[in-house]
Each structure stands twice: as C-alpha cells, then as structure tokens.
Amino acid sequence: MPTADDIRKRIVEHGMSISDRVIATLPPRYGLMVEQIRSISRAYKNDLDTFLANLSTVKGLDILVIYLALLAVLYKHKALSDGELRKLGEAFERYVYDVFSASRARRALEEAGVEREVADDAISNVARALNVIGSKYKSAYLWVAKQRKISHFENSIRSLLFRGEGGSRVGRGVKLFLRLFIHDANIPLAIKIAYTHEYKKYILHGDIYTALVTLRSGAFEDVASLTAEKVKARVARRLLCEAREGRQRCGDVVIRLESVRGLVRHVGKISGDPLLYERGAYDIGVNYCRDLKCDICPIRDVCRRYIFVKLK
C-alpha cells in the first residue's frame, strides 16, 4: 500500500507537471518576459550583480511586477478564475502597456468587469506601494530581485501592498504574490530564495481545495500531531461504520477548514517542495476531487479516496 510520503511525492510531481494558473494565463508579451527572466536567472543564479545587470535589458519588467501586484490585491477580495485572469491581463496590457497610472489601471479594471470599489482599493494600494518602493529600491523589479529571506519578503508584501492588514483573505493575496517569484518553476526573480533552500520555507496558504486533497488522499496520515490524530480517528470510525452498516447508512466526516489549516501547511512543508505541493493539490482539488472524478485523477493509484471527508 502506498505510504503518505508516496502520496505527497505524487502530488508534488503533479504540481511540477502543470503551470501556475496566473502565469499560464498571462498575455503573450508578459509570458515572453517570464521566459527571459527564467533564462537569465538560471545562467546567473550564483552572481547577483550580473543577474541584475542582465535584468535591466528586459523591457517592461516593472510593468509585469506591477500587474502581478495588482492581481494580488484583487485576490484579497476574490479568487479569480482562469477566464477572469485572461480578461484582466488583456485589458491591463492594452491600457497600461508601458506606463502605470491610476487612470489607465482604472480603465483596464473597468473593462475587465472589476467592481469600482474593489478596483479603487487595488489601485490605491499598488500606487502607495510603488511610491515607497521607488524611494527605497528605485524600481518594482529590484524590490523583488533583492529579496533574500522568505519571511522578510512576505512581511514586505503585506506591509507595502496590503498596508499591514491581516486575515485569511489578505493572506491569500500575499501568498499569491510571494509564490510567483520564489521558485524556478514560476518567475525566479528573487534568485537568492529560488535557488537556495530558502524556497522550502514557503508556508502555503491552505485553501479549501488543497486541504480537501490533503485529507481525502491520506497525505497527512504519518503526521504525529493532535490534529492529525483527531482526523485519523474520525476517518477510522467512518470506515468501521461502512464495514458494519454499509456506505449509505454512514454520515460524512465534516471538518472545519480553520481547524486543519495548520496540518495542511505542515504536510506541504514535509513534502519537500511546499510550493509545488500546493499547486498540485489545488489543481487536483479544483479539477478532480471537487466533483469526485476519481477514475481520471492524476493520483488515483495512490489516493486513499476518503470521499466522505467534507470541509466547511
């Protein structure tokens, strides 16, 4: 029988086989910038000065960072679908293109169908952040490229883009922006994080789909914690009920997301690559686990299939 570690490895492998949704939905011009950054970072990952010198040749790099910052703030209000991401990217490229301004950004967000109040909040936060970043780092891309510690970078994102706000929704936006720049599989602009063990310190957000896959697959079962033991006990009781009474007569195991978020984050950490684990688990959760498409799921041959587990 596959172990919990085997399951985690398969989730990470799936994460490696797909692209981050934000990057996959970028307009072609921005997608080209991503490939340029990857090429430069891989060539000069051990030489920060040469890396920075070569980055200066990537035209429009600040605009890419600003666009992703805007997306991160929008995520505070709502997780965006692939269609919404594409629409936003196309509108932003058309109206902002090479010079960011509040009026241009507002036209782009309006065309993309973003509510006025939400758009105003996002533009205000990004404009404020750019003023601070400009005085300290000179440009948005240098702010990211010079980051060395995940914890410092995350605190900087929260402070600059979200005015120090807390809460789960803000955390979702913070993690979005952070993960985009700290891994070779995304946009390795923060090379001192992406090409050292520092990227393994990433703590995933713990959304409902990632949590659902973590619990239903059994990826948590070798974790020695009180929360893990409680979940295992509830799962065991349900399986015992099925053995005695049959599936139709046994109730679902309903768990509050907040009660297992720490467990899910720990599972991501011990997977060896928390960012790819999060990407893989989220994709499986959205595209397979949510609708119980077990027979075509990428981890169907190792998953425990605890489909009776529900999250609220």
Side-chain angles (χ1 to χ4, degrees):
M1 176 181 289
T3 65
D5 187 53
D6 292 331
I7 297 167
R8 291 192 293 269
K9 286 178 180 177
R10 288 293 298 277
I11 293 173
V12 169
E13 287 172 4
H14 180 65
M16 190 182 302
S17 71
I18 59 177
S19 296
D20 186 283
R21 293 172 56 249
V22 171
I23 296 173
T25 54
L26 286 173
R29 175 170 171 255
Y30 296 159
L32 177 59
M33 287 187 212
V34 171
E35 291 304 320
Q36 289 177 289
I37 295 166
R38 285 175 178 166
S39 178
I40 294 170
S41 67
R42 289 165 184 167
Y44 303 108
K45 58 187 177 184
N46 297 316
D47 187 345
L48 180 60
D49 290 337
T50 305
F51 172 67
L52 295 177
N54 278 270
L55 280 183
S56 65
T57 66
V58 181
K59 187 177 179 181
L61 183 50
D62 259 358
I63 294 296
L64 172 63
V65 175
I66 292 169
Y67 169 65
L68 296 175
L70 196 65
L71 279 187
V73 181
L74 290 174
Y75 258 68
K76 178 184 75 171
H77 300 277
K78 174 188 175 184
L80 303 172
S81 67
D82 289 0
E84 289 170 322
L85 287 170
R86 290 191 180 91
K87 196 172 182 179
L88 276 164
E90 291 167 0
F92 189 86
E93 184 181 33
R94 178 160 49 254
Y95 286 101
V96 179
Y97 194 72
D98 58 352
V99 178
F100 176 82
S101 71
S103 60
R104 291 185 178 193
R106 187 167 287 107
R107 286 198 295 272
L109 295 187
E110 181 180 355
E111 181 175 297
V114 178
E115 295 178 7
R116 182 62 180 266
E117 185 178 344
V118 173
D120 287 346
D121 176 66
I123 293 167
S124 173
N125 279 22
V126 171
R128 172 185 171 276
L130 290 176
N131 285 334
V132 178
I133 290 168
S135 63
K136 186 173 182 180
Y137 294 95
K138 296 184 179 179
S139 72
Y141 82 82
L142 286 176
W143 166 51
V144 177
K146 292 184 177 181
Q147 298 294 327
R148 294 174 178 268
K149 299 292 182 181
I150 278 187
S151 60
H152 294 167
F153 190 18
E154 185 166 347
N155 289 337
S156 183
I157 295 166
R158 187 177 298 276
S159 173
L160 292 175
L161 293 182
F162 298 91
R163 302 173 187 258
E165 295 178 50
S168 178
R169 292 191 175 190
V170 169
R172 180 172 61 196
V174 172
K175 298 294 185 181
L176 169 72
F177 191 82
L178 177 67
R179 74 168 186 257
L180 287 173
F181 296 109
I182 62 170
H183 199 284
D184 182 64
N186 285 343
I187 314 171
L189 190 54
I191 60 168
K192 290 300 180 181
I193 297 175
Y195 293 104
T196 66
H197 288 292
E198 188 67 18
Y199 78 91
K200 294 185 178 182
K201 297 178 183 178
Y202 172 70
I203 300 173
L204 53 83
H205 175 59
D207 63 274
I208 194 166
Y209 296 115
T210 301
L212 194 65
V213 171
T214 299
L215 299 184
R216 284 182 171 177
S217 69
F220 72 97
E221 289 187 330
D222 60 350
V223 175
S225 74
L226 182 59
T227 302
E229 293 302 322
K230 286 181 177 179
V231 175
K232 282 186 279 186
R234 295 185 65 183
V235 168
R237 286 196 294 271
R238 164 62 197 240
L239 292 174
L240 182 60
C241 177
E242 285 187 11
R244 290 175 173 174
E245 307 291 340
R247 179 176 296 182
Q248 299 302 320
R249 301 183 65 178
C250 300
D252 292 330
V253 175
V254 182
I255 300 171
R256 290 178 58 251
L257 175 60
E258 289 302 322
S259 71
V260 294
R261 182 167 270 140
L263 172 61
V264 174
R265 287 171 171 167
H266 180 72
V267 171
K269 179 181 179 180
I270 64 176
S271 72
D273 196 321
L275 191 147
L276 290 182
Y277 179 89
E278 179 179 46
R279 183 195 294 178
Y282 179 85
D283 182 78
I284 292 168
V286 169
N287 294 310
Y288 303 95
C289 202
R290 176 174 60 179
D291 299 318
L292 299 182
K293 298 178 180 178
C294 299
D295 291 341
I296 58 172
C297 176
I299 62 168
R300 60 188 176 277
D301 57 334
V302 295
C303 180
R304 299 283 192 266
R305 300 196 186 190
Y306 297 146
I307 60 173
F308 48 76
V309 172
K310 312 288 184 182
L311 290 176
K312 65 176 182 179

